[in-house]
């Protein structure tokens, strides 16, 4: 429906109705349309996608390549699946091997009882038998928001997060702990006002334990704006509670990429100063740019790559080359450490171990 001048809904009896857009959600690729038929229409029965089991039958209906009312049969291959990065809809797809082709998008995915459990949305063009559908429970939630508000209201805390690897957990003094790592706190956000800091390890959102990035993102997005929540965090070996109020998600700023290269080091990488105009463009106060990383070096093994901008090492801010050299010289030999880097518009921590 995007950029459409006119939308026409055609039913199975070939009757047509002009439709009005009630609301649309780009993130899930779902829209609600309103038509005005003269009488009642038959409606499909909606199922419960949370009860789907891998291996049960899945039936896809649609108009692939213009072939109307085509039905294909397969099974549920997986649930909670992430699709290809360029497919809209998030990371909670139903994967099926029921044939989904161009023209199937928007058609129902049914279970063996004829209940709609998903909306067909995409396929993997590089393979066969790999299609995706948006779970009907997600569609229901989106539909309610679109009808009530014309848009989907998602929660937002203003945090940049990443997975907590065993190496990072050890470097942050939280060996064996499960959680996610905060690598950015947006100024003026609920997270900043609630006292969350970079380097905190989030272990619980309210009463729910947190073990992964996607899980945490779903918890936050599914929380109504205005709801107070308590985060349990690990900070320098201590458990801290941060209470904050969820706000409505803001539109993401366009991703900016750091620009390339130049100079040298014992961690196995070469760095150079970043020109001030590039720092302004990337909205950074300082840092050094990585121009070369030696394979099998501490920097490479820790995840540092060419083009990264190093912002801090072991909580020591790196504003330029002098700060960087001092921070490297103070790294404890043979012991785990960590660095904060800027990469393709986001900040993340990497683990380092000086030789």
């Amino acid at each position: 429906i995007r950029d459409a001048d006119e939308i026409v809904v055609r039913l199975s009896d070939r009757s047509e109705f002009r439709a009005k857009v009630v609301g649309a959600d780009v993130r899930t690729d779902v829209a609600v349309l309103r038509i005005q038929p003269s009488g009642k229409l038959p409606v499909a029965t909606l199922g419960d996608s949370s009860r789907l089991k891998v291996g049960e039958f899945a039936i896809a209906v649609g108009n692939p390549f213009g072939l109307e009312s085509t039905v294909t049969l397969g099974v549920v291959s997986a649930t909670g699946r992430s699709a290809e990065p360029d497919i809209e809809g998030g990371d909670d797809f139903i994967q099926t091997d029921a044939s989904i082709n161009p023209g199937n998008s928007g058609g129902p995915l049914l279970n063996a009882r004829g209940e709609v459990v998903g909306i067909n949305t995409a396929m993997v063009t590089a393979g066969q038998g790999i299609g995706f559908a948006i779970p009907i429970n997600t569609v229901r939630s989106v539909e309610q928001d679109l009808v009530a508000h014309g848009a989907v209201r998602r929660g937002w805390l203003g945090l940049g997060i990443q997975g907590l690897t065993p190496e990072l957990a050890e470097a942050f003094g939280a060996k064996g702990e499960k959680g996610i790592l905060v690598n950015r706190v947006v100024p003026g956000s609920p997270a900043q006002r609630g006292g969350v800091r970079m380097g905190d390890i989030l272990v619980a959102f309210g009463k729910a334990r947190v073990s992964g990035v996607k899980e945490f993102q779903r918890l936050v997005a599914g929380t109504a704006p205005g709801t107070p929540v308590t985060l349990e965090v690990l900070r320098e070996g201590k458990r801290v509670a941060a209470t904050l109020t969820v706000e409505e998600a803001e539109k993401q700023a366009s991703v900016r990429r750091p620009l390339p290269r130049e100079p040298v080091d014992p961690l196995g990488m070469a760095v150079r100063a970043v020109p001030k105009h590039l720092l302004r463009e990337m909205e950074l106060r300082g840092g050094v740019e990585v121009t070369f990383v030696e394979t099998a070096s501490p920097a490479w093994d820790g995840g540092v790559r060419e083009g990264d901008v190093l912002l801090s090492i072991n909580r020591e801010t790196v504003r330029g080359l002098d700060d960087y050299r001092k921070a490297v010289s103070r790294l404890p030999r043979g012991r785990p450490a960590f660095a904060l880097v800027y990469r393709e518009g986001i900040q993340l921590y990497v683990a380092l171990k000086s030789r």
Side-chain angles (χ1 to χ4, degrees):
I1 64 166
R2 189 182 297 164
D3 300 326
D5 295 320
E6 184 181 59
I7 301 170
V8 176
V9 173
R10 178 189 291 172
L11 305 183
S12 57
D13 63 1
R14 298 198 167 275
S15 57
E16 295 185 349
F17 302 90
R18 289 194 175 174
K20 177 183 177 183
V21 178
V22 175
D25 181 48
V26 174
R27 181 167 167 176
T28 56
D29 202 22
V30 170
V32 174
L33 305 179
R34 178 178 285 126
I35 62 174
Q36 294 182 316
S38 56
K40 284 191 173 183
L41 298 175
V43 294
T45 301
L46 303 186
D48 182 355
S49 53
S50 69
R51 300 179 65 181
L52 280 176
K53 304 294 183 189
V54 173
E56 72 174 90
F57 284 122
I59 303 162
V61 182
N63 300 334
F65 303 106
L67 301 170
E68 292 186 13
S69 302
T70 296
V71 178
T72 56
L73 175 67
V75 298
V76 174
S77 306
T79 58
R81 185 69 91 193
S82 294
E84 294 176 274
D86 58 342
I87 294 176
E88 293 172 344
D91 54 15
D92 192 25
F93 287 96
I94 301 164
Q95 182 185 332
T96 179
D97 67 351
S99 184
I100 292 177
N101 293 292
N104 273 107
S105 294
L109 185 73
L110 310 167
N111 60 20
R113 292 181 296 279
E115 298 168 335
V116 180
V117 292
I119 294 181
N120 304 323
T121 187
M123 61 178 179
V124 175
T125 55
Q128 291 185 337
I130 303 177
F132 297 99
I134 306 162
I136 201 63
N137 290 8
T138 299
V139 176
R140 268 195 181 113
S141 174
V142 169
E143 180 265 338
Q144 289 168 3
D145 269 0
L146 292 179
V147 170
H149 311 291
V152 177
R153 303 178 71 215
R154 293 187 176 88
W156 177 77
L157 294 179
L159 288 173
I161 54 175
Q162 67 184 85
L164 183 67
T165 64
E167 295 79 12
L168 282 170
E170 185 179 357
F172 277 86
K175 188 174 181 179
E177 291 284 353
K178 295 267 199 281
I180 56 176
L181 185 60
V182 176
N183 55 38
R184 182 171 179 249
V185 179
V186 176
S189 67
Q192 186 189 52
R193 292 194 297 272
V196 181
R197 303 177 190 171
M198 286 195 307
D200 282 350
I201 297 170
L202 300 177
V203 295
F205 180 89
K207 294 181 180 179
R209 308 305 292 179
V210 174
S211 58
V213 169
K214 291 176 186 173
E215 175 191 9
F216 181 77
Q217 289 171 334
R218 287 188 198 126
L219 287 169
V220 174
T223 302
T227 304
V229 295
T230 300
L231 301 181
E232 183 184 334
V233 305
L234 283 174
R235 181 182 298 156
E236 298 179 3
K238 298 177 182 177
R239 293 187 182 270
V240 180
T243 301
L244 31 90
T245 301
V246 177
E247 291 185 2
E248 192 164 349
E250 299 175 354
K251 291 183 179 178
Q252 294 295 317
S254 58
V255 173
R256 296 183 178 91
R257 292 175 178 266
L259 299 177
R261 319 197 185 288
E262 254 185 41
V264 52
D265 168 47
L267 287 173
M269 57 185 170
V271 300
R272 69 168 180 179
V274 183
K276 289 184 178 179
H277 73 279
L278 292 183
L279 290 175
R280 285 195 300 271
E281 183 179 324
M282 294 183 288
E283 299 179 347
L284 300 176
R285 295 182 179 179
V288 293
E289 183 182 8
V290 178
T291 59
F292 172 77
V293 186
E294 188 178 38
T295 54
S297 67
W300 178 272
D301 292 343
V304 180
R305 296 295 181 263
E306 289 182 28
D308 286 351
V309 177
L310 283 165
L311 305 178
S312 70
I313 298 175
N314 267 9
R315 300 190 192 277
E316 289 189 41
T317 301
V318 174
R319 295 182 184 83
L321 291 172
D322 288 341
D323 286 348
Y324 170 75
R325 294 186 187 111
K326 289 175 186 174
V328 171
S329 69
R330 284 196 277 265
L331 282 176
R333 292 193 178 277
R335 290 176 56 192
F338 57 91
L340 180 67
V341 305
Y342 176 98
R343 178 184 298 164
E344 296 185 351
I346 62 170
Q347 294 179 182
L348 70 157
Y349 285 101
V350 295
L352 299 173
K353 188 178 283 189
S354 180
R355 288 175 177 145

